Amino acid sequence: MPDRPRRPRLRRALLAALVTFAVAVPVSGAARPEAVPAPAPTVTGPLRDASPAALEERYAVSRSDIRAAGRAAEAHGDQKRADSLRGMAAAGRQFLTFDGRDGGRSVEVVGELSSARRIAVLVPGAGVGLDAYWRLRRDARALHRELGEGGAVIVWLGYRSPATISPAALTTGRADKAAPGLRALVDEVHAVRPAARISLLCHSYGSVICARSAPGTAADALVLYGSPGVAVEDARSLRTGARVWAGRGGDDWIARVPHVRVRVPFVATVGFGTDPVAEEFGAEVFDAGDGGHSDYLLRGSRSLTNLARIAAGAEPLGASR
């Protein structure tokens, strides 16, 4: 008879090896994104008014801050960051907040927040930031098109995203720090658009942040996709009144990540526990198609269709349970 405890031990060994790799192998040959200097942003305070005039005033302030950060990046010799910021500061872009320091933080609106009835908040995962912000913009525009009239998308890059292969991507530390900011944004949006449906669409490590901000959230739906786990054992432990959904693409490598939580001496507790698409987690599972880890919001994909349907309050196509 096979020794049944060996599989859990193997998973723990694999996870520990991954942590050791992340700690021991330095990232060389590239400047740290957080090292690019930027001036302090204009203080705007919480979002209290979603009228078109008030929003346009806020967008103009952020546009000025982005341009100032772009000039600082260019003076620093980081042309990649400067080019990215130039695109972000283009006419018509709508940022509620922007801070170029320490790797960058931003909150962008795609669509008309002042009249939106369905608001999707995109919470990105590891390996994203200002230098390749165009990817987040592309995904947000695709989702906005799918939502249709009355829909708005908020891209929340409110934290310093960890590198995909790093100790920070294996622990809840960044999520713990980021969650209060996400919770505050949802509260503010709910206060200025109380009749609108708000959905948190949480990708990869972003799902850990969403889970940390879930208790008592004003969001109507919490959608975990491409998730490594969320550091709780089941959906009930999220202590949320939001409807909890989970999905994973058929070619997403995250399926091969061990779904365990292990205390590694001198490091931290690593891993995120139960797979959100597993039956024992208790989320409602939606059909996320056959795509890979970065494909969930690709135009024409089943995952994009279903994420938009959930954000709109409709049942996804081909839901598993």
Side-chain angles (χ1 to χ4, degrees):
M1 180 177 290
D3 183 5
R4 292 186 180 277
R6 290 182 63 187
R7 185 176 181 84
R9 286 202 300 268
L10 177 59
R11 284 188 165 190
R12 286 169 172 77
L14 288 171
L15 187 56
L18 181 57
V19 174
T20 301
F21 173 82
V23 172
V25 179
V27 178
S28 60
R32 292 177 296 116
E34 62 269 25
V36 182
T42 305
V43 177
T44 54
L47 178 66
R48 301 189 188 281
D49 186 349
S51 67
L55 287 173
E56 184 48 50
E57 182 178 349
R58 196 176 181 102
Y59 297 154
V61 169
S62 293
R63 193 174 300 120
S64 178
D65 287 341
I66 296 169
R67 287 171 177 161
R71 291 191 293 270
E74 194 154 22
H76 184 68
D78 194 319
Q79 196 58 49
K80 182 177 183 180
R81 174 69 60 83
D83 289 344
S84 181
L85 292 173
R86 190 174 297 112
M88 293 171 71
R93 300 291 289 271
Q94 303 177 148
F95 284 85
L96 291 172
T97 61
F98 175 84
D99 185 345
R101 300 171 298 176
D102 188 33
R105 314 284 192 278
S106 64
V107 181
E108 184 177 16
V109 177
V110 179
E112 297 301 327
L113 184 59
S114 61
S115 58
R117 302 185 302 276
R118 302 177 301 279
I119 300 170
V121 181
L122 291 183
V123 183
V128 300
L130 299 183
D131 291 340
Y133 187 85
W134 63 268
R135 294 174 184 157
L136 294 177
R137 169 74 172 177
R138 175 199 63 193
D139 289 348
R141 293 183 68 187
L143 179 60
H144 180 244
R145 280 191 294 267
E146 195 75 20
L147 280 173
E149 185 179 356
V153 178
I154 298 177
V155 183
W156 184 83
L157 185 58
Y159 76 115
R160 182 156 62 89
S161 171
T164 303
I165 301 297
S166 68
L170 298 171
T171 69
T172 64
R174 297 279 177 93
D176 293 336
K177 293 178 181 178
L182 178 59
R183 175 67 176 271
L185 173 73
V186 173
D187 287 346
E188 290 168 21
V189 171
H190 178 67
V192 298
R193 296 294 302 156
R197 173 183 171 82
I198 302 174
S199 300
L200 288 172
L201 306 189
C202 317
H203 178 239
S204 194
Y205 189 83
S207 64
V208 186
I209 301 172
C210 288
R212 287 307 206 234
S213 71
T217 183
D220 298 282
L222 181 66
V223 191
L224 315 170
Y225 57 103
S227 174
V230 295
V232 299
E233 290 307 305
D234 53 45
R236 290 188 302 275
S237 300
L238 294 172
R239 305 194 314 278
T240 181
R243 193 172 178 184
V244 181
W245 292 91
R248 185 169 63 222
D251 197 31
D252 190 340
W253 57 261
I254 206 77
R256 298 188 291 277
V257 171
H259 292 285
V260 295
R261 278 174 64 72
V262 180
R263 175 69 186 177
V264 178
F266 311 111
V267 181
T269 298
V270 298
F272 302 109
T274 311
D275 185 348
V277 301
E279 185 173 0
E280 60 265 30
F281 187 81
E284 298 184 72
V285 177
F286 69 95
D287 181 1
D290 299 323
H293 192 63
S294 300
D295 299 337
Y296 288 92
L297 294 171
L298 290 183
R299 294 183 67 179
S301 65
R302 172 56 69 94
S303 52
L304 174 61
T305 296
N306 278 340
L307 287 168
R309 289 180 66 87
I310 293 170
E315 292 298 307
L317 303 177
S320 300
R321 61 176 187 269

